[in-house]
Amino acid sequence: MLPFKLVYSEKYYLPIGEHIFRADKYRLIRELLLRQHVADESDFLLPQPASQADVLLVHSPLHISKLMEGSLSPREELEMEVPYSPRLVDAFLLHSGGSVLAAEQALKDQVCINVGGGFHHAFPDHGEGFCMLHDFAIAIRSLQKRGLISRAMTVDCDVHQGNGTAAIFGTAAHGPNVLPSWSGSPGAPQQDGMTNGPGNDVFTISLHQENNYPVVKPASSIDVNLPDGCGDVEYLAWLDNALSSGLRQFAPELICYVAGADPFCEDQLGGLDLTIEGLKRRDELVFRAARAHDVPVMVTLAGGYANRVQDTVAIHANTVLAAAEVYQPAPGAAHTA
Ligand SMILES: [Zn+2]
Protein backbone atom coordinates (compact mmCIF):
# COMPACT_ATOMS: atom_id res chain seq x y z
CA MET A 1 0.00 0.00 0.00
CA LEU A 2 1.28 3.45 -0.91
CA PRO A 3 1.64 6.21 1.69
CA PHE A 4 -0.58 8.40 -0.51
CA LYS A 5 -3.49 8.09 -2.93
CA LEU A 6 -3.76 7.84 -6.70
CA VAL A 7 -6.78 9.29 -8.50
CA TYR A 8 -8.02 7.38 -11.52
CA SER A 9 -11.14 6.43 -13.45
CA GLU A 10 -11.49 4.09 -16.41
CA LYS A 11 -13.43 6.99 -17.95
CA TYR A 12 -10.16 8.97 -18.20
CA TYR A 13 -9.83 7.39 -21.63
CA LEU A 14 -10.12 10.17 -24.21
CA PRO A 15 -12.24 9.09 -27.21
CA ILE A 16 -10.01 10.62 -29.89
CA GLY A 17 -9.43 7.57 -32.09
CA GLU A 18 -6.06 6.80 -33.64
CA HIS A 19 -3.95 9.65 -32.33
CA ILE A 20 -0.36 10.41 -31.38
CA PHE A 21 -1.81 11.05 -27.90
CA ARG A 22 -2.21 7.51 -26.57
CA ALA A 23 -5.35 7.97 -24.53
CA ASP A 24 -5.12 4.40 -23.26
CA LYS A 25 -1.95 5.32 -21.34
CA TYR A 26 -3.91 6.01 -18.16
CA ARG A 27 -5.26 2.46 -18.04
CA LEU A 28 -1.84 1.02 -18.93
CA ILE A 29 -0.18 2.97 -16.09
CA ARG A 30 -2.69 1.66 -13.57
CA GLU A 31 -2.23 -1.89 -14.84
CA LEU A 32 1.56 -1.62 -14.62
CA LEU A 33 1.42 -0.24 -11.08
CA LEU A 34 -0.85 -3.09 -9.99
CA ARG A 35 1.14 -5.76 -11.85
CA GLN A 36 4.41 -4.63 -10.31
CA HIS A 37 2.80 -4.42 -6.85
CA VAL A 38 3.75 -0.77 -6.56
CA ALA A 39 0.10 -0.02 -5.79
CA ASP A 40 -2.96 -2.03 -4.86
CA GLU A 41 -6.65 -1.41 -5.49
CA SER A 42 -7.08 0.39 -2.17
CA ASP A 43 -4.62 3.10 -3.24
CA PHE A 44 -6.97 4.43 -5.92
CA LEU A 45 -9.64 7.09 -5.42
CA LEU A 46 -12.45 7.54 -7.93
CA PRO A 47 -12.99 11.15 -9.09
CA GLN A 48 -16.24 12.94 -9.85
CA PRO A 49 -16.56 15.37 -12.75
CA ALA A 50 -15.63 18.97 -11.89
CA SER A 51 -18.68 21.08 -11.12
CA GLN A 52 -19.69 23.75 -13.59
CA ALA A 53 -19.18 26.35 -10.85
CA ASP A 54 -15.55 25.24 -10.45
CA VAL A 55 -14.92 25.13 -14.20
CA LEU A 56 -16.27 28.69 -14.49
CA LEU A 57 -13.65 29.88 -11.98
CA VAL A 58 -11.14 29.46 -14.84
CA HIS A 59 -13.01 29.31 -18.14
CA SER A 60 -15.27 31.81 -19.86
CA PRO A 61 -19.02 31.07 -19.96
CA LEU A 62 -18.78 31.29 -23.78
CA HIS A 63 -16.09 28.57 -23.99
CA ILE A 64 -18.12 26.32 -21.70
CA SER A 65 -21.37 26.85 -23.58
CA LYS A 66 -19.63 26.04 -26.88
CA LEU A 67 -18.34 22.79 -25.36
CA MET A 68 -21.72 21.89 -23.87
CA GLU A 69 -23.66 22.70 -27.02
CA GLY A 70 -21.09 21.41 -29.47
CA SER A 71 -20.91 24.78 -31.23
CA LEU A 72 -17.14 25.16 -31.66
CA SER A 73 -16.13 26.64 -35.00
CA PRO A 74 -14.07 24.40 -37.31
CA ARG A 75 -11.06 26.62 -36.56
CA GLU A 76 -11.54 26.21 -32.80
CA GLU A 77 -11.80 22.45 -33.17
CA LEU A 78 -8.69 22.39 -35.35
CA GLU A 79 -6.77 24.37 -32.76
CA MET A 80 -7.71 21.84 -30.09
CA GLU A 81 -6.15 19.08 -32.22
CA VAL A 82 -8.56 16.50 -30.82
CA PRO A 83 -11.94 15.69 -32.39
CA TYR A 84 -14.83 17.23 -30.49
CA SER A 85 -17.51 15.00 -28.99
CA PRO A 86 -19.75 15.32 -25.94
CA ARG A 87 -18.00 12.22 -24.52
CA LEU A 88 -14.66 14.01 -24.82
CA VAL A 89 -16.06 16.96 -22.85
CA ASP A 90 -17.18 14.49 -20.15
CA ALA A 91 -13.68 12.98 -20.03
CA PHE A 92 -12.04 16.40 -19.59
CA LEU A 93 -14.55 17.27 -16.86
CA LEU A 94 -13.61 14.04 -15.10
CA HIS A 95 -9.85 14.69 -15.39
CA SER A 96 -10.55 18.16 -13.94
CA GLY A 97 -12.56 16.71 -11.05
CA GLY A 98 -9.67 14.29 -10.55
CA SER A 99 -7.26 17.18 -10.18
CA VAL A 100 -9.59 18.88 -7.68
CA LEU A 101 -9.70 15.64 -5.66
CA ALA A 102 -5.92 15.18 -5.93
CA ALA A 103 -5.31 18.72 -4.68
CA GLU A 104 -7.67 18.19 -1.71
CA GLN A 105 -6.06 14.85 -0.92
CA ALA A 106 -2.53 16.29 -1.17
CA LEU A 107 -3.41 18.69 1.65
CA LYS A 108 -4.17 15.62 3.81
CA ASP A 109 -1.34 13.26 2.79
CA GLN A 110 1.38 15.71 1.58
CA VAL A 111 1.23 14.19 -1.90
CA CYS A 112 -1.41 12.86 -4.28
CA ILE A 113 -1.11 11.82 -7.91
CA ASN A 114 -3.86 12.23 -10.47
CA VAL A 115 -3.20 9.47 -13.01
CA GLY A 116 -4.50 11.91 -15.60
CA GLY A 117 -4.78 15.67 -16.14
CA GLY A 118 -2.01 18.15 -16.85
CA PHE A 119 -3.90 19.92 -19.64
CA HIS A 120 -1.74 23.03 -19.49
CA HIS A 121 -2.50 24.34 -23.00
CA ALA A 122 -6.15 25.13 -22.23
CA PHE A 123 -6.89 28.87 -22.05
CA PRO A 124 -9.83 30.57 -20.31
CA ASP A 125 -11.62 31.09 -23.62
CA HIS A 126 -10.35 28.29 -25.85
CA GLY A 127 -8.69 24.91 -25.96
CA GLU A 128 -5.56 24.00 -27.88
CA GLY A 129 -2.78 21.41 -28.11
CA PHE A 130 -4.94 18.40 -27.05
CA CYS A 131 -6.29 20.38 -24.06
CA MET A 132 -9.94 21.35 -23.67
CA LEU A 133 -10.14 22.33 -19.98
CA HIS A 134 -7.31 23.38 -17.65
CA ASP A 135 -7.75 20.78 -14.92
CA PHE A 136 -5.17 21.92 -12.37
CA ALA A 137 -6.03 25.61 -12.72
CA ILE A 138 -9.60 24.59 -11.92
CA ALA A 139 -8.27 22.69 -8.88
CA ILE A 140 -6.25 25.67 -7.63
CA ARG A 141 -9.15 28.11 -8.03
CA SER A 142 -11.57 25.66 -6.41
CA LEU A 143 -9.37 25.25 -3.33
CA GLN A 144 -8.78 28.99 -3.12
CA LYS A 145 -12.52 29.70 -3.34
CA ARG A 146 -13.18 27.33 -0.46
CA GLY A 147 -10.40 28.90 1.62
CA LEU A 148 -8.35 25.70 1.71
CA ILE A 149 -5.29 27.47 0.25
CA SER A 150 -4.48 30.99 -0.81
CA ARG A 151 -1.14 30.55 -2.60
CA ALA A 152 -0.12 27.85 -5.08
CA MET A 153 2.88 27.15 -7.30
CA THR A 154 2.83 25.28 -10.58
CA VAL A 155 5.98 23.38 -11.59
CA ASP A 156 5.59 22.35 -15.20
CA CYS A 157 8.15 19.85 -16.51
CA ASP A 158 6.32 18.88 -19.69
CA VAL A 159 8.54 19.46 -22.75
CA HIS A 160 6.05 22.07 -23.99
CA GLN A 161 5.67 25.44 -22.31
CA GLY A 162 2.63 25.84 -20.04
CA ASN A 163 1.05 28.62 -22.10
CA GLY A 164 -2.47 28.14 -20.76
CA THR A 165 -1.22 28.17 -17.17
CA ALA A 166 0.72 31.38 -17.79
CA ALA A 167 -2.26 33.00 -19.48
CA ILE A 168 -4.61 32.06 -16.63
CA PHE A 169 -2.41 33.06 -13.70
CA GLY A 170 -0.24 35.80 -15.16
CA THR A 171 3.22 36.36 -13.76
CA ALA A 172 4.74 37.36 -10.50
CA ALA A 173 3.93 40.93 -9.55
CA HIS A 174 7.48 42.04 -10.28
CA GLY A 175 7.43 40.70 -13.79
CA PRO A 176 8.55 37.46 -15.36
CA ASN A 177 11.87 35.77 -14.67
CA VAL A 178 13.33 34.36 -17.82
CA LEU A 179 16.30 32.29 -16.90
CA PRO A 180 19.18 33.41 -19.08
CA SER A 181 19.49 31.87 -22.46
CA TRP A 182 21.68 28.82 -22.67
CA SER A 183 25.24 29.94 -22.14
CA GLY A 184 27.11 26.77 -22.99
CA SER A 185 28.12 26.08 -19.41
CA PRO A 186 26.21 22.89 -18.66
CA GLY A 187 25.45 22.24 -15.03
CA ALA A 188 26.12 25.81 -14.03
CA PRO A 189 22.87 27.73 -14.27
CA GLN A 190 23.35 31.44 -13.92
CA GLN A 191 21.51 33.86 -11.72
CA ASP A 192 21.89 36.87 -14.02
CA GLY A 193 18.66 38.49 -14.99
CA MET A 194 16.68 36.99 -12.11
CA THR A 195 14.45 39.40 -10.30
CA ASN A 196 13.19 38.78 -6.83
CA GLY A 197 9.90 39.84 -5.45
CA PRO A 198 6.62 38.54 -4.16
CA GLY A 199 4.34 36.98 -6.75
CA ASN A 200 0.61 37.15 -7.01
CA ASP A 201 -1.43 34.26 -5.63
CA VAL A 202 -0.12 31.65 -8.10
CA PHE A 203 3.55 31.37 -9.02
CA THR A 204 4.16 29.58 -12.30
CA ILE A 205 7.36 27.76 -13.28
CA SER A 206 7.80 26.15 -16.69
CA LEU A 207 10.86 24.21 -17.93
CA HIS A 208 10.48 23.45 -21.59
CA GLN A 209 12.18 23.14 -24.93
CA GLU A 210 12.34 26.66 -26.36
CA ASN A 211 12.22 25.49 -29.97
CA ASN A 212 8.86 23.72 -29.74
CA TYR A 213 5.11 24.29 -29.51
CA PRO A 214 3.69 26.72 -28.47
CA VAL A 215 5.24 29.31 -30.78
CA VAL A 216 3.91 32.14 -28.62
CA LYS A 217 4.87 31.58 -24.99
CA PRO A 218 3.06 33.90 -22.56
CA ALA A 219 5.36 34.70 -19.64
CA SER A 220 5.34 32.41 -16.61
CA SER A 221 6.76 33.64 -13.29
CA ILE A 222 9.86 31.63 -14.22
CA ASP A 223 10.41 30.29 -17.73
CA VAL A 224 13.40 28.07 -18.38
CA ASN A 225 13.93 27.95 -22.13
CA LEU A 226 15.98 24.83 -22.76
CA PRO A 227 18.00 24.20 -25.91
CA ASP A 228 17.35 21.28 -28.23
CA GLY A 229 19.01 18.08 -27.05
CA CYS A 230 19.34 19.10 -23.39
CA GLY A 231 20.23 15.98 -21.39
CA ASP A 232 19.75 14.70 -17.84
CA VAL A 233 22.58 16.55 -16.10
CA GLU A 234 21.85 19.95 -17.56
CA TYR A 235 18.09 19.54 -17.16
CA LEU A 236 18.33 18.57 -13.50
CA ALA A 237 20.64 21.50 -12.78
CA TRP A 238 18.18 23.93 -14.36
CA LEU A 239 15.26 22.38 -12.51
CA ASP A 240 17.11 22.58 -9.21
CA ASN A 241 17.90 26.22 -9.95
CA ALA A 242 14.31 27.08 -10.89
CA LEU A 243 12.84 25.34 -7.83
CA SER A 244 15.30 27.02 -5.45
CA SER A 245 14.68 30.38 -7.04
CA GLY A 246 10.89 29.97 -7.03
CA LEU A 247 10.75 28.76 -3.44
CA ARG A 248 13.00 31.63 -2.36
CA GLN A 249 10.63 34.14 -3.90
CA PHE A 250 7.31 32.58 -3.04
CA ALA A 251 5.88 30.43 -0.24
CA PRO A 252 3.13 28.24 -1.73
CA GLU A 253 0.64 26.18 0.26
CA LEU A 254 0.33 23.72 -2.61
CA ILE A 255 2.56 22.73 -5.52
CA CYS A 256 0.95 21.45 -8.72
CA TYR A 257 3.61 19.37 -10.41
CA VAL A 258 3.05 18.72 -14.12
CA ALA A 259 5.06 15.55 -14.72
CA GLY A 260 5.06 15.37 -18.53
CA ALA A 261 6.74 12.28 -19.97
CA ASP A 262 7.67 14.06 -23.19
CA PRO A 263 11.13 15.43 -22.30
CA PHE A 264 12.15 11.79 -22.99
CA CYS A 265 14.84 11.36 -25.66
CA GLU A 266 12.61 9.10 -27.78
CA ASP A 267 9.53 11.30 -27.68
CA GLN A 268 7.90 12.02 -31.03
CA LEU A 269 6.87 15.56 -30.09
CA GLY A 270 9.86 16.52 -27.96
CA GLY A 271 13.42 17.49 -28.73
CA LEU A 272 15.09 17.09 -25.35
CA ASP A 273 17.34 14.17 -24.51
CA LEU A 274 16.33 12.92 -21.07
CA THR A 275 16.57 9.24 -20.17
CA ILE A 276 13.94 7.28 -18.27
CA GLU A 277 16.29 7.29 -15.26
CA GLY A 278 16.84 11.05 -15.60
CA LEU A 279 13.09 11.64 -15.64
CA LYS A 280 12.71 9.66 -12.42
CA ARG A 281 15.46 11.75 -10.82
CA ARG A 282 13.54 14.84 -12.00
CA ASP A 283 10.44 13.60 -10.15
CA GLU A 284 12.49 12.88 -7.03
CA LEU A 285 13.98 16.37 -7.16
CA VAL A 286 10.54 17.99 -7.20
CA PHE A 287 9.22 15.78 -4.40
CA ARG A 288 12.34 16.34 -2.26
CA ALA A 289 12.10 20.12 -2.71
CA ALA A 290 8.39 20.08 -1.81
CA ARG A 291 9.04 17.89 1.21
CA ALA A 292 11.99 20.00 2.38
CA HIS A 293 9.76 23.08 2.32
CA ASP A 294 6.83 21.16 3.84
CA VAL A 295 4.59 22.01 0.89
CA PRO A 296 1.95 19.49 -0.25
CA VAL A 297 2.24 18.47 -3.88
CA MET A 298 -0.41 17.26 -6.30
CA VAL A 299 0.73 15.68 -9.54
CA THR A 300 -0.77 15.57 -13.02
CA LEU A 301 0.67 13.61 -15.94
CA ALA A 302 0.35 15.83 -19.04
CA GLY A 303 2.02 14.71 -22.30
CA GLY A 304 4.01 11.66 -23.38
CA TYR A 305 4.42 10.50 -26.97
CA ALA A 306 7.30 8.05 -26.93
CA ASN A 307 7.85 5.84 -29.95
CA ARG A 308 6.98 2.90 -27.70
CA VAL A 309 3.93 3.50 -25.52
CA GLN A 310 5.43 1.26 -22.84
CA ASP A 311 8.17 3.88 -22.35
CA THR A 312 5.59 6.62 -21.77
CA VAL A 313 3.79 4.31 -19.35
CA ALA A 314 7.03 3.43 -17.52
CA ILE A 315 7.99 7.12 -17.15
CA HIS A 316 4.59 7.96 -15.64
CA ALA A 317 4.62 4.89 -13.37
CA ASN A 318 8.10 5.94 -12.20
CA THR A 319 6.60 9.22 -10.97
CA VAL A 320 4.52 7.13 -8.55
CA LEU A 321 7.62 5.13 -7.56
CA ALA A 322 9.62 8.32 -7.00
CA ALA A 323 6.88 9.68 -4.72
CA ALA A 324 6.74 6.37 -2.84
CA GLU A 325 10.50 6.53 -2.23
CA VAL A 326 10.54 10.16 -1.13
CA TYR A 327 7.39 9.96 1.04
CA GLN A 328 8.08 6.54 2.56
CA PRO A 329 7.49 6.72 6.30
CA ALA A 330 10.78 6.66 8.18
CA PRO A 331 11.79 3.14 9.28
CA GLY A 332 10.48 2.43 12.73
CA ALA A 333 7.89 5.21 12.54
CA ALA A 334 4.92 4.39 14.72
CA HIS A 335 1.83 3.18 12.89
CA THR A 336 -1.38 4.76 13.98
CA ALA A 337 -4.51 2.68 14.12
ZN1 LIG B 1 3.81 18.19 -23.86
Side-chain angles (χ1 to χ4, degrees), residues 105-125:
Q105 195 66 30
L107 299 184
K108 296 176 188 158
D109 295 339
Q110 283 296 99
V111 60
C112 183
I113 298 177
N114 185 8
V115 186
F119 298 113
H120 58 162
H121 302 311
F123 283 68
D125 62 351

Side-chain angles (χ1 to χ4, degrees), residues 6-295:
L6 306 171
V7 177
Y8 171 82
S9 163
E10 63 184 26
K11 293 178 183 165
Y12 272 4
Y13 177 78
L14 305 173
I16 54 179
E18 281 288 309
H19 200 286
I20 195 164
F21 190 118
R22 286 288 299 261
D24 55 346
K25 74 174 183 177
Y26 308 111
R27 176 178 57 79
L28 296 172
I29 294 160
R30 178 185 137 90
E31 286 173 3
L32 182 64
L33 291 169
L34 291 173
R35 196 163 63 241
Q36 294 188 335
H37 305 289
V38 173
D40 60 43
E41 296 283 351
S42 69
D43 293 319
F44 289 88
L45 298 177
L46 199 62
Q48 297 297 313
S51 69
Q52 195 169 75
D54 278 356
V55 172
L56 286 168
L57 296 171
V58 169
H59 293 285
S60 70
L62 182 60
H63 178 51
I64 299 311
S65 69
K66 283 178 184 171
L67 295 180
M68 293 304 171
E69 294 161 11
S71 57
L72 294 167
S73 71
R75 191 182 157 278
E76 286 168 328
E77 194 175 338
L78 204 65
E79 199 174 14
M80 207 134 64
E81 298 185 80
V82 284
Y84 173 86
S85 69
R87 270 183 63 216
L88 187 58
V89 179
D90 289 343
F92 276 104
L93 285 168
L94 195 59
H95 280 265
S96 300
S99 286
V100 174
L101 177 58
E104 291 167 355
Q105 195 66 30
L107 299 184
K108 296 176 188 158
D109 295 339
Q110 283 296 99
V111 60
C112 183
I113 298 177
N114 185 8
V115 186
F119 298 113
H120 58 162
H121 302 311
F123 283 68
D125 62 351
H126 73 277
E128 62 177 71
F130 315 155
C131 302
M132 192 180 264
L133 296 171
H134 198 305
D135 56 287
F136 58 96
I138 292 169
I140 290 170
R141 290 301 190 219
S142 172
L143 266 58
Q144 286 177 327
K145 185 189 68 176
R146 287 179 279 153
L148 296 174
I149 60 166
S150 54
R151 293 151 68 86
M153 174 180 280
T154 63
V155 177
D156 190 337
C157 289
D158 191 272
V159 81
H160 304 101
Q161 196 243 8
N163 55 347
T165 316
I168 289 165
F169 294 121
T171 62
H174 288 243
N177 295 220
V178 179
L179 284 176
S181 57
W182 190 249
S183 65
S185 54
Q190 300 174 0
Q191 292 291 325
D192 313 341
M194 302 288 297
T195 56
N196 291 312
N200 54 14
D201 63 351
V202 180
F203 193 99
T204 55
I205 297 177
S206 179
L207 269 84
H208 47 265
Q209 184 189 5
E210 182 168 27
N211 180 29
N212 203 328
Y213 169 88
V215 175
V216 177
K217 297 174 174 62
S220 312
S221 306
I222 296 178
D223 278 302
V224 184
N225 295 307
L226 297 168
D228 297 358
C230 178
D232 291 345
V233 172
E234 298 89 339
Y235 186 97
L236 293 172
W238 283 106
L239 175 59
D240 194 23
N241 182 264
L243 284 170
S244 311
S245 172
L247 289 167
R248 250 197 327 271
Q249 296 178 55
F250 188 84
E253 292 151 304
L254 175 71
I255 288 174
C256 296
Y257 173 40
V258 184
D262 49 13
F264 179 47
C265 53
E266 292 179 28
D267 195 272
Q268 300 172 79
L269 297 184
L272 299 185
D273 204 23
L274 273 74
T275 64
I276 291 181
E277 297 71 33
L279 286 160
K280 181 158 180 268
R281 289 211 297 280
R282 169 199 71 167
D283 298 334
E284 290 166 4
L285 187 58
V286 174
F287 292 134
R288 289 222 175 84
R291 202 167 183 195
H293 287 79
D294 201 23
V295 184

